[in-house]
């Protein structure tokens, strides 16, 4: 017996059929966005169909689409959650790479669950890792290309852009009679987006190198501000916010953030007392550095003397004066120092002349006498080196003092970490490699600046190689008689001069791409490519016949790639 049931006329309560009429959440309706979207759609339609009124059916379809688009821009849909939209960088090639990566991942996990041979599992893991890397690189490349196409679309025809993020900006009709043309605005925005990094030691080195190449001299003065972040008065911050035309509601929020702040301290008798605060930015908060930059920005915004520059990084203020003679450079430095110190004092801050350093940078010809600069009515003699952003800058830019400073610092850190990982019964190699990365991060700080000084000086290279050998021996738990080359191979840590050169190449390539506004490849891809070059250079270096550790190199180098 066959029992049949016809359910063609029944309606399921779990039907997934799409609703014929869309619904919106009117409680969240933004009338300004709704009005702007209608104006935008009407202006676009009037430009496109100026001479073609269209049929009544086309007009009805256009009204329906326009109202739906305006409602979508002004509020959210009611009902079920809408489906995800396709990413702007998605392509068929990325889809195939993703499917391939998922397939290889399943094969790898399946082999682990079935306890296949270890060689097969490792081979599947390597294949999956390579496919995942290819997918990630392709996504990054597609993002860069998509963003560049979007920028080109804005430059070619802003009227064709329908992105909601720039809907408001496209309503602005630029007037040709204004003082600033729209091309200048776009150029300025691109430059600000490209050069969004703080001035570090590299910018200082560029100024000094340019002056020395022209047979000039540079007087650099590092101004020290006493207790800078805790001494900036709040009225100075309020005046800066008002001068920069911040919205009133933001100024009220910041006033409330700083209102009724107190500090607790213990007096000489051991009693805890409280004192209201009227100065200082909250350290450790996200808003603290921003408030400092807003308040201290007046020191930089005003003019400078001819041949002078003022570079700031947080509270580190550096005054550079260039000239063709020591006397002119000193005179310009004293004039600029007077202006900067007066601006700092007007903010309510105090300059510590005793901690201020000054250096005279020159070429091969040593000056007859070093100059004297005046800082807050105190005379300061220029010396041969100074510390700026943890980098020791000497008068000849040889970085010998900096490498000596690194040697002393790394020796202390190595001894401290050596107590944590003795060779016998210490942590495993993974944790030892982590400690080694900590040391390398300290050594390679600002490596693009002093890399050339390391590679061109045998004495500097030998000095740091001795520290690298100690670190490698700690990683592999070996005797101290093991050579540098053998310990480097076993620890899988490239030589220091190759690591520094790689960081310099990565920095220069990313900087050039950022300045050219043409991101043809991502920073991750650049680093991976330079790492491959470094590994090849390290293999060539270790194959030199006169190096130590011959038997270790002959045993390991043929299998180094594995």
């Amino acid at each position: 017996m066959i029992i049949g049931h016809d359910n063609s006329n029944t309606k399921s309560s779990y039907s997934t059929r799409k609703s014929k009429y869309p619904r919106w959440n009117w409680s969240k309706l933004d009338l300004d966005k709704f009005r702007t979207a209608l104006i935008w759609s009407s202006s676009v339609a009037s430009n496109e169909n100026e001479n073609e009124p269209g049929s009544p059916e086309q007009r009805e379809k256009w009204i329906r689409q326009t109202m739906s688009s305006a409602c979508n821009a002004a509020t959210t849909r009611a009902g079920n959650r809408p489906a995800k939209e396709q990413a702007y960088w998605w392509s068929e090639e990325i889809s195939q790479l993703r499917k391939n990566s998922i397939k290889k991942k399943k094969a790898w996990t399946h082999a682990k669950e079935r306890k296949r041979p270890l060689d097969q599992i490792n081979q599947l893991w390597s294949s999956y890792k390579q496919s995942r890397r290819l997918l990630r690189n392709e996504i990054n490349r597609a993002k860069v290309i998509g963003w560049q196409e979007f920028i080109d679309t804005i430059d070619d025809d802003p009227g064709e852009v329908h992105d909601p993020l720039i809907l408001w900006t496209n309503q602005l009709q630029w007037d040709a009679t204004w003082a600033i043309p729209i091309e200048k605005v776009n150029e300025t925005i691109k430059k600000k987006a490209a050069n969004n990094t703080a001035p570090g030691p590299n910018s200082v080195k560029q100024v000094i190198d340019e002056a020395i190449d022209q047979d000039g001299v540079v007087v650099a003065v590092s101004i020290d501000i006493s207790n800078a972040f805790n001494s900036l008065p709040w009225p100075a911050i309020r005046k800066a916010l008002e001068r920069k035309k911040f919205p009133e509601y933001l100024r009220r929020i910041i006033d409330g953030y700083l209102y009724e702040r107190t500090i607790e301290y213990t007096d000489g008798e051991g009693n805890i007392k409280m004192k209201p605060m009227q100065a200082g930015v909250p350290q450790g908060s996200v808003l603290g550095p921003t408030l400092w930059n807003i308040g201290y920005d007046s020191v930089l915004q005003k003019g400078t003397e001819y041949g002078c520059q003022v570079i700031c990084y947080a509270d580190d203020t550096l005054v550079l004066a260039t000239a063709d003679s020591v006397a002119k450079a000193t005179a310009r430095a004293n004039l600029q120092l007077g202006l900067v110190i007066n601006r700092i004092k007007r903010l309510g801050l105090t300059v510590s002349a005793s901690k201020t350093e000054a250096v005279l940078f020159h070429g091969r010809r040593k000056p007859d006498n070093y100059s004297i600069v005046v800082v807050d009515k105190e005379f300061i003699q220029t010396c041969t080196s100074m510390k700026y952003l943890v980098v020791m800058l000497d008068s000849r830019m040889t970085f010998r003092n900096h490498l000596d400073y690194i040697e002393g610092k790394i020796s202390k850190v190595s001894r401290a970490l050596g107590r944590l990982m003795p060779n016998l019964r210490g942590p495993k190699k993974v944790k030892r490699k982590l400690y080694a990365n900590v040391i390398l991060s300290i050594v390679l700080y600002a490596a693009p600046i002093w890399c050339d000084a390391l590679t061109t000086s045998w004495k500097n290279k030998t000095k740091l190689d001795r520290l690298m050998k100690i670190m490698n021996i700690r990683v592999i738990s070996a005797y101290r008689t093991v050579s540098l080359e053998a310990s480097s191979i076993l620890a899988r840590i490239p030589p220091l001069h190759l690591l520094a050169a790689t960081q310099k190449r990565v920095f220069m390539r990313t900087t050039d791409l950022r300045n050219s506004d043409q991101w043809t490849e991502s920073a991750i891809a650049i680093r991976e490519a330079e790492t491959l070059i470094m590994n090849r250079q390290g293999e060539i270096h270790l194959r030199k016949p006169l190096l130590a550790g011959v038997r270790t190199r002959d045993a390991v180098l043929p299998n180094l790639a594995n």
Side-chain angles (χ1 to χ4, degrees), residues 38-86:
L38 290 178
I39 295 173
W40 170 257
S41 300
S42 301
S43 61
V44 172
S46 61
N47 293 331
E48 293 179 352
N49 304 322
E50 185 175 358
N51 299 323
E52 299 178 2
S55 62
E57 292 78 8
Q58 292 177 347
R59 291 186 180 183
E60 185 271 337
K61 182 179 180 181
W62 175 83
I63 291 174
R64 187 183 299 276
Q65 292 177 351
T66 301
M67 293 298 294
S68 298
S69 301
C71 292
N72 290 333
T75 185
T76 58
R77 287 285 185 99
N80 296 330
R81 185 177 180 181
K84 282 188 176 181
E85 296 182 357
Q86 180 175 301

Side-chain angles (χ1 to χ4, degrees), residues 111-129:
K112 287 197 306 180
E113 292 173 354
R114 296 298 179 91
K115 296 182 180 181
R116 302 296 186 191
L118 185 60
D119 295 340
Q120 183 180 356
I121 295 176
N122 293 335
Q123 184 179 1
L124 292 173
W125 162 248
S126 300
S127 178
Y128 164 60
K129 187 167 62 173

